[in-house]
Amino acid sequence: MPIRFLTSGESHGKCLNAIIEGIGANFELDFDFINAELRARQGGIGRGGRMKIETDTIHFNSGVRFSKTTGAPICIEINNLDYKNWLIPMSVERLNIDELNNEEKELLKSKEIENVRPGHADFAGAIKYNQKDIRNILERSSARETTTRVALGAICQNILKNFNIDFTSEVISLGGEQNPEKFEAKIKQAQELGESLGGKVKVTIKNLPIGLGSCMHWDKRLDGKLAQAVMSIPAIKSVEIGMGAKCSDEFGSCVHDEIFLDENGRILRHTNNAGGLEGGMTNGEDIVITAAMKPIPTMKKALKSINLNKKEQVSAHFERADTCAVHACGIVAKNMCATVILDAFFEKFGCDNYDEVKKNFENNAKRI
Ligand code: EPS
């Protein structure tokens, strides 16, 4: 496990931060590429008002000099531009509530939340962390946190580009609709009804070397690591690799990808039902992952719920939200996969510095 990372930050707090460790030295980073990934996460149809306020941009606090990694832990920061509107309710600097004047106290009170949203972290989180104000839960459990994951994943993608490894994501269905031309209408319908929508995304990873991951132990299997990384994205309810759940309905001969040799003796497959992974290792075919996202739990058409403090039946809390964030989910999934792939790549080819990794990669390619 050469790479590990931690994120911090609340949705309406001052900023989002992350530290990634294990990236070796002399990898050139393209800041424009990383920022383009951040912008892509902000986009897609069905996004709410917040994305008009933010221009997510990466700032490096350590680990990079003159756009090259130094091998030191990389600390990044992304400002929440909306913080200026939440200065009092989300203040991290004031020590004591008594410092606030009456107007400020009222503002703070107006942002307190007691009515939990079914489907969100509110209920279990408030009980687990013993919080009367559910804002202390939702601010951290908000999918805004995925901004930092995209920034880190984009750094990983950036490094893997040197080895021609390529990541894409696409929305393959939205609220059950598979025709992209009908997506807008589906969103509009949901908005009119005060509803929200989920969908399915597909991540494709191309030009992978054979043998990333391992068949030797459960926690080294790459399929398991990728599934965990994608499943950890807020609102994801299923992850499938290649043919996915459908393979359990078919005969083996309809599932397994036969292996051929072409006229030049090169290994060749005509199908990729395995989604690029056999025995927990890359087999040289594209990795194909699909993930299903549930509808966002914050809805104008509020569901029945409870006030956790007063133990009263109420309507769930509603605050500005996206109608659908499935496009963003694809961008996050692709970048989460990039963190896992780079980790496995460094495990196989070393990670101390660019030249060494490149040499090891090229030697391996020659052998195969
Ligand atoms: C998000 C920012 C949030 C939400 C969304 C994700 O902004 P705000 O709460 O200020 O509108 O748009 O959060 C959720 C979907 C959620 O359930 O918490 C973002 O940057 O992706």
Side-chain angles (χ1 to χ4, degrees):
M1 212 184 70
I3 293 181
R4 51 185 185 153
F5 66 83
L6 279 177
T7 72
S8 73
E10 286 83 30
S11 181
H12 303 100
K14 216 176 190 179
C15 59
L16 304 161
N17 294 96
I19 294 182
I20 186 164
E21 184 212 53
I23 307 272
N26 301 335
F27 290 99
E28 178 119 35
L29 296 182
D30 176 351
F31 295 5
D32 291 342
F33 170 76
I34 298 165
N35 285 327
E37 286 294 283
L38 288 171
R39 297 289 148 66
R41 194 203 70 92
Q42 290 195 263
I45 51 173
R47 294 291 256 161
R50 176 72 181 274
M51 290 307 114
K52 295 194 183 85
I53 300 171
E54 303 295 341
T55 311
D56 293 336
T57 309
I58 195 165
H59 301 282
F60 288 91
N61 290 333
S62 69
V64 176
R65 285 185 76 206
F66 305 111
S67 79
K68 275 192 180 165
T69 60
T70 63
I74 298 172
C75 176
I76 62 158
E77 183 167 320
I78 296 150
N79 291 323
N80 280 327
L81 300 184
D82 203 19
Y83 178 61
K84 63 179 185 308
N85 307 317
W86 289 75
L87 223 46
I88 300 303
M90 289 305 296
S91 178
V92 286
E93 268 131 26
R94 308 251 185 146
L95 296 179
N96 202 319
I97 286 185
D98 296 334
E99 285 177 31
L100 304 179
N101 63 37
N102 284 344
E103 199 184 324
E104 289 171 335
K105 274 184 189 152
E106 243 165 66
L107 187 59
L108 179 68
K109 191 90 198 134
S110 73
K111 297 292 187 191
E112 277 177 16
I113 295 166
E114 298 181 29
N115 300 356
V116 293
R117 290 162 297 175
H120 218 289
D122 302 353
F123 174 71
I127 291 173
K128 177 176 169 72
Y129 294 101
N130 198 17
Q131 292 296 330
K132 294 242 173 290
D133 180 2
I134 292 157
R135 184 155 299 287
N136 284 338
I137 303 302
L138 72 88
E139 283 290 334
R140 178 62 186 157
S141 63
S142 164
R144 177 108 190 106
E145 184 265 346
T146 61
T147 313
T148 36
R149 299 206 218 176
V150 168
L152 297 180
I155 292 172
C156 297
Q157 270 199 75
N158 200 174
I159 291 169
L160 289 164
K161 267 175 191 285
N162 291 302
F163 307 97
N164 209 22
I165 299 175
D166 178 63
F167 294 76
T168 52
S169 65
E170 59 179 313
V171 176
I172 55 171
S173 77
L174 191 154
E177 179 57 64
Q178 282 166 23
N179 180 354
E181 283 173 17
K182 295 188 178 160
F183 286 175
E184 288 271 10
K186 194 90 200 172
I187 296 282
K188 204 158 168 257
Q189 183 196 20
Q191 277 164 347
E192 280 164 10
L193 295 169
E195 284 278 5
S196 61
L197 285 169
K200 280 195 184 141
V201 296
K202 179 161 108 177
V203 174
T204 307
I205 314 168
K206 289 185 183 294
N207 305 325
L208 289 151
I210 297 170
L212 298 186
S214 171
C215 58
M216 296 302 179
H217 208 72
W218 70 271
D219 61 350
K220 301 230 166 196
R221 287 183 169 253
L222 196 65
D223 40 12
K225 289 185 181 188
L226 286 164
Q228 148 72 22
V230 177
M231 194 58 133
S232 73
I233 300 166
I236 294 295
K237 282 296 188 187
S238 85
V239 180
E240 296 187 71
I241 295 175
M243 196 181 196
K246 269 195 271 160
C247 71
S248 61
D249 302 333
E250 304 285 344
F251 284 124
S253 60
C254 302
V255 171
H256 301 297
D257 307 304
E258 290 184 298
I259 309 175
F260 301 94
L261 289 172
D262 72 6
E263 57 275 18
N264 301 316
R266 273 196 302 247
I267 299 163
L268 179 82
R269 307 221 196 188
H270 297 302
T271 55
N272 184 21
N273 293 330
L277 291 155
E278 289 173 313
M281 296 169 288
T282 51
N283 63 5
E285 303 297 314
D286 295 350
I287 288 185
V288 182
I289 296 174
T290 48
M293 182 188 199
K294 70 183 182 186
I296 286 169
T298 313
M299 285 182 284
K300 267 203 193 108
K301 184 184 170 181
L303 297 174
K304 291 193 182 68
S305 186
I306 55 165
N307 178 308
L308 212 50
N309 299 331
K310 299 194 182 108
K311 302 282 180 318
E312 281 170 1
Q313 188 79 55
V314 294
S315 291
H317 163 73
F318 175 74
E319 192 164 278
R320 175 185 62 195
D322 305 317
T323 308
C324 178
V326 75
H327 167 83
C329 172
I331 306 295
V332 181
K334 168 175 86 157
N335 281 292
M336 280 305 285
C337 288
T339 66
V340 175
I341 296 294
L342 184 63
D343 186 59
F345 190 90
F346 278 172
E347 201 158 72
K348 184 160 174 62
F349 300 114
C351 58
D352 289 343
N353 67 77
Y354 175 62
D355 285 339
E356 192 175 293
V357 176
K358 191 162 174 266
K359 234 177 249 159
N360 291 340
F361 175 78
E362 285 168 356
N363 283 340
N364 180 68
K366 266 186 233 149
R367 181 173 73 85
I368 292 159

